[in-house]
Structures are given as C-alpha cells and as structure tokens.
Amino acid sequence: MHPETPPTESTLDEAVAVFVEFRPRLFGIAYRMLGSAVEAEDVVQEVWLRWQKTDRSVVISPVAFLSSTTTRLAINVAQSARVRRETYIGPWLPEPIDTSSDPEVGAQRAEALEFALLLVLEKLNPMERAAYVLREAFDYGYPEIAEILQLSIVNVRKVVSRARKHLVADQRETVDTVEHRRLLDAFVSAAQRGDVASLEALLTPDTVSLSDGNGMQGCSRIPVTGRARVAKMVTYPKLWREAEPRLVDANGCAGVMLYRDGQPIAFMTMSASKEGIHKLMWVFNPSKIAAFIDSGSRHTTAPGA
C-alpha cells in the first residue's frame, strides 16, 4: 500500500508526464483483458485517479506500479463482466478498435489483439487471461507477472502454459494480411451482388457466422453454421441496400464498416486459413460501433477527460 499525499503543482505535472508515457500500455493491457474499449478506458481512468493520490516518492518503478494496478483492476472488471454477459442476448463479440493510427495499442508485440483471438480469450478465466496477455503481448518476465498476480513463479508458468494450450486448441493457422484483404474484398463484392456461388467458393464447409446485436430485430441470435447457410444469409438484400462498405483497420486487421445515409450500421471482420474463410464476425450493437468510431481518437485524450 502507498500512502496518499497532497500533490503540489510540480509533482502533479510529473505524474501526468509519467502517466501519459505509459498510458498506451495500460490501455493495451486492459483492452486485451476485457475485449471492451469502453471498459478499458474506465480502468485506465481509475488507474489515473489512484496514481494521482499515491505517494509517488516511494514508488520504485512507476511502470510496474501502473501495470500492476491496471491488471488487478481489469481482473476485477473481467470477473463481473462474465456475470453480466450471461444475460447478453445472442453471441457476444469484443468491441473492435480502430488501430489505423496505433497498430499495436501499446504492446511490444501485436499479440492477443486480433479480433478472433480476443473472442477465444473469453474462454480463459481472468487470471489466465492476465498472465497470457502480460507474457505474450507485453513480454513481461515470469517474476514480474508473479508479483503483479501475487502468485509464485512456478504457478505463473503453469497458468501461462495452460492458457496457451487452451488457445492452440481453438486456433487455426491464419493467412497473411495481403490474402486476408483479398478474401475480404472478394467476400464483400460477392455479398453485395448476391452471388451465392462465389461466396460458397470463398467459405470453408464448417464456416460459422456470429452476429452481435444483443437482441436487435433482424440480427441472428444463434451462430449460423455451414457454407450454404452462411452464403445465403449474408446476401440478405436488406443488409446491403443503399449501404456503403468502407474498409477500416480494426484490431490490426482489415475489416469493413457498413454505412447507410452517412451513419455506421454494422462492422464485419473475418478469420481465414489457406482453406478459406472459416469465421465471420458481425457487430450490429450500436454502442460497440460507437466505441469503434470513438477509439480513433483514444490516444489523444488527456488524463481525467
């Protein structure tokens, strides 16, 4: 515990400078932990409030203090979020974030940022997810992770290993960014034309389409599986009528935001292997679409805003 001390103007300026320096990393940790830009921002703001009130003269490593506080707060939020999502109507998908100006969201590597991987991370418990994120995305050493999570180094190694095994079982080898973009363009073009045959040629036999609308009318509340069913569903004329698809950089990969009358109405991205597209992920939830639009200016927001 660090005692509180009334900050002077000069020490507060120093606190702001340190926090701004490490804020991208803090957001990156919280976002990968929670799959929600809004919840991650809330965590980062709470970390800022605690950093303001802390006696920083006794803090040996500011980045260690800030990272630990962020991780522990994110674990608490993740535990309550799992309960809240039990009442979510239909598939739950992460909130996409705009990575066009901040490709790695504060990570030393872009690990655990891809949209589909964030979805798989939901299968881990919060402690496993934290250990995996700190190790794989931010390259923290096992002793550092042990201190943050208040576990032994041996236990941390076991937790990270267990998390990796969970993820490997659910992951397929992915195509490179060029092929991903080609498949995405071909998919959108065929869907707009209503070309079911061309769509089926792009999809794997076990393709699944997930739609996140939290009960919105016209949005599937169950996963749609199989090449033929998915191809038929995505050519639904009402979806594409007068819609303008715009390419976006979401979570380090190409995605599409559909606009109608100048307003964003749906986000879509996909996962593909050399066999073809095997997962489509659609976000119709207005709050999540708004979070994506807002995320483009996230890194310019000042502490406390």
Side-chain angles (χ1 to χ4, degrees):
M1 294 292 291
H2 298 285
E4 296 183 6
T5 183
T8 65
E9 185 174 346
S10 61
T11 58
L12 190 56
D13 287 343
E14 292 171 2
V16 170
V18 170
F19 187 81
V20 168
E21 178 184 356
F22 295 117
R23 180 170 180 165
R25 179 185 298 198
L26 308 183
F27 178 86
I29 292 171
Y31 175 70
R32 286 168 172 81
M33 282 285 301
L34 301 169
S36 166
V38 173
E39 291 177 348
E41 282 290 0
D42 288 344
V43 167
V44 171
Q45 289 300 311
E46 178 61 27
V47 174
W48 163 244
L49 293 175
R50 296 191 181 195
W51 179 238
Q52 275 184 290
K53 297 174 181 178
T54 294
D55 180 1
R56 294 177 295 278
S57 66
V58 300
V59 176
I60 298 173
S61 170
V63 65
F65 174 87
L66 293 169
S67 298
S68 295
T69 305
T70 299
T71 303
R72 291 169 187 169
L73 287 172
I75 287 173
N76 291 339
V77 174
Q79 289 168 337
S80 61
R82 288 166 80 93
V83 175
R84 293 197 305 273
R85 286 170 193 167
E86 291 177 0
T87 61
Y88 201 83
I89 302 174
W92 179 93
L93 293 175
E95 286 176 5
I97 55 171
D98 184 347
T99 48
S100 58
S101 59
D102 188 8
E104 297 186 357
V105 196
Q108 295 173 1
R109 299 185 298 228
E111 292 291 331
L113 181 60
E114 187 181 343
F115 201 70
L117 181 54
L118 284 175
L119 183 58
V120 175
L121 282 173
E122 285 293 309
K123 297 183 179 182
L124 304 180
N125 66 48
M127 193 69 76
E128 289 174 333
R129 189 163 180 165
Y132 180 86
V133 165
L134 291 171
R135 181 63 182 167
E136 298 299 324
F138 295 88
D139 206 26
Y140 279 77
Y142 288 109
E144 295 173 288
I145 300 172
E147 184 173 350
I148 290 171
L149 300 182
Q150 299 179 334
L151 298 173
S152 71
I153 296 175
V154 171
N155 280 344
V156 167
R157 289 184 181 275
K158 289 180 180 178
V159 170
V160 172
S161 177
R162 188 163 61 242
R164 285 175 180 153
K165 289 177 181 177
H166 279 307
L167 298 180
V168 167
D170 285 291
Q171 289 293 93
R172 300 190 194 186
E173 186 176 350
T174 58
V175 296
D176 61 28
T177 55
V178 174
E179 179 63 3
H180 184 277
R181 170 70 185 276
R182 185 193 73 79
L183 288 168
L184 182 66
D185 288 343
F187 173 85
V188 171
S189 177
Q192 283 184 292
R193 298 194 311 270
D195 187 345
V196 173
S198 292
L199 283 170
E200 290 189 1
L202 294 170
L203 305 174
T204 63
D206 63 345
T207 299
V208 59
S209 179
L210 304 171
S211 299
D212 180 327
N214 197 18
M216 286 179 60
Q217 186 174 2
C219 183
S220 177
R221 299 185 181 187
I222 60 172
V224 177
T225 58
R227 175 185 282 153
R229 292 182 65 200
V230 171
K232 183 177 180 181
M233 182 196 71
V234 300
T235 54
Y236 183 50
K238 188 175 180 180
L239 174 63
W240 300 99
R241 188 178 300 130
E242 299 179 358
E244 176 195 357
R246 300 181 191 175
L247 193 70
V248 294
D249 190 334
N251 296 69
C253 293
V256 170
M257 186 69 75
L258 290 183
Y259 284 78
R260 184 175 292 124
D261 297 326
Q263 298 299 314
I265 59 169
F267 165 82
M268 188 277 288
T269 190
M270 63 178 210
S271 293
S273 65
K274 62 182 180 180
E275 286 79 26
I277 300 170
H278 58 82
K279 183 176 291 182
L280 296 169
M281 292 158 286
W282 303 82
V283 175
F284 294 94
N285 188 326
S287 65
K288 293 186 177 184
I289 293 173
F292 175 85
I293 301 300
D294 292 342
S295 68
S297 59
R298 169 190 47 77
H299 63 288
T300 63
T301 305

